[in-house]
Amino acid sequence: MNAMNSSTAAGQERKAPGRPRSAQADETILDAVLALLGEGQSAAAVSIEAVAARAGVGKATIYRRWPNKEALLIDAVRAMKGPLPELAGRSVREDLIALIRANRTPRAQRHSKVIACLMPELLRDDELSRMYRDFIEPRREVTRQVLRRGIETGELRPDLDVELTQVMLSAPGMMKSILRFDLAIPDDEFAETLVDAVLRGASA
């Protein structure tokens, strides 16, 4: 960048502090944060300098968008949101398997590694914890809707505890992905095995 361009950029920074000039730059920076966390670095170890180097931008570019590392981490968690799976709606079993499989994709596995590295901060930082809950709650609600529909259609017991069943369906995946528990279930059979085990107690 020549001196004139540098001067112009600096002027823009003074006129509009914190305003992102490029959505692509935002995405590149957030991807860099997620990549560093996905490689196993703790949130405490991730620095603005490391993010800037990975994203190929200057630190000033980051600080124009985020006032500190904590705000950057919060936006990185928000950026993990992906599309919810489209469900066929033909049966509870089929839809639950689709939801479990959606959490086993490479993208979801990468995010699990990120969350594992963020765990200490999620316990300490209320705002980051809130953002994570906002990230997972829509997916939890889809599972609840499938279970409620199953009760209405008679596929599931009328006295089924929807919230507890939703936790029973999600917890094993978290144990396998985040805590690295060896559940002795092959990946390609995990969704069907889990859903069938839960449905043995939940089916009408």
Side-chain angles (χ1 to χ4, degrees):
M1 181 180 292
N2 60 36
M4 181 176 296
N5 288 340
S6 298
S7 175
T8 300
Q12 289 175 338
E13 290 176 32
R14 287 192 295 271
K15 291 177 183 178
R19 291 181 59 189
R21 296 184 303 166
S22 165
Q24 183 177 359
D26 287 359
E27 183 178 349
T28 300
I29 293 166
L30 293 173
D31 280 347
V33 176
L34 295 175
L36 291 169
L37 291 169
E39 291 169 2
Q41 292 195 35
S42 68
V46 172
S47 65
I48 295 296
E49 289 80 3
V51 174
R54 175 61 67 92
V57 301
K59 289 193 296 181
T61 301
I62 296 176
Y63 282 119
R64 281 200 300 273
R65 291 156 168 79
W66 294 277
N68 50 49
K69 186 176 78 173
E70 288 70 26
L72 178 57
L73 289 173
I74 287 170
D75 271 5
V77 170
R78 183 185 290 117
M80 290 195 301
K81 290 184 178 180
L84 294 170
E86 294 186 8
L87 303 178
R90 289 186 290 264
S91 75
V92 168
R93 181 180 185 273
E94 182 179 350
D95 287 352
L96 291 178
I97 288 174
L99 288 169
I100 300 299
R101 283 178 175 167
N103 290 327
R104 308 299 301 167
T105 63
R107 175 188 174 91
Q109 293 299 296
R110 178 196 182 199
H111 292 168
S112 294
K113 293 179 181 178
V114 171
I115 294 303
C117 294
L118 283 175
M119 277 298 179
E121 281 67 27
L122 289 172
L123 296 175
R124 289 196 299 262
D125 190 311
D126 290 341
E127 178 67 9
L128 192 60
S129 179
R130 183 186 66 78
M131 288 303 310
Y132 176 62
R133 289 195 300 272
D134 289 346
F135 164 63
I136 64 171
E137 187 56 30
R139 289 150 177 76
R140 288 164 55 92
E141 182 56 27
V142 170
T143 302
R144 294 187 191 102
Q145 290 172 2
V146 172
L147 296 173
R148 293 186 192 112
R149 191 191 76 223
I151 294 173
E152 292 172 358
T153 61
E155 294 174 80
L156 303 179
R157 293 165 37 184
D159 63 344
L160 183 71
D161 187 323
V162 170
E163 194 63 29
L164 180 58
T165 305
Q166 184 275 135
V167 172
M168 293 170 67
L169 286 163
S170 61
M174 295 180 66
M175 292 175 64
K176 188 175 178 66
S177 299
I178 297 178
L179 301 179
R180 305 294 179 86
F181 272 50
D182 182 5
L183 301 179
I185 304 172
D187 280 344
D188 59 350
E189 300 174 11
F190 180 78
E192 290 86 346
T193 302
L194 173 58
V195 169
D196 288 342
V198 173
L199 289 182
R200 276 195 287 272
S203 295

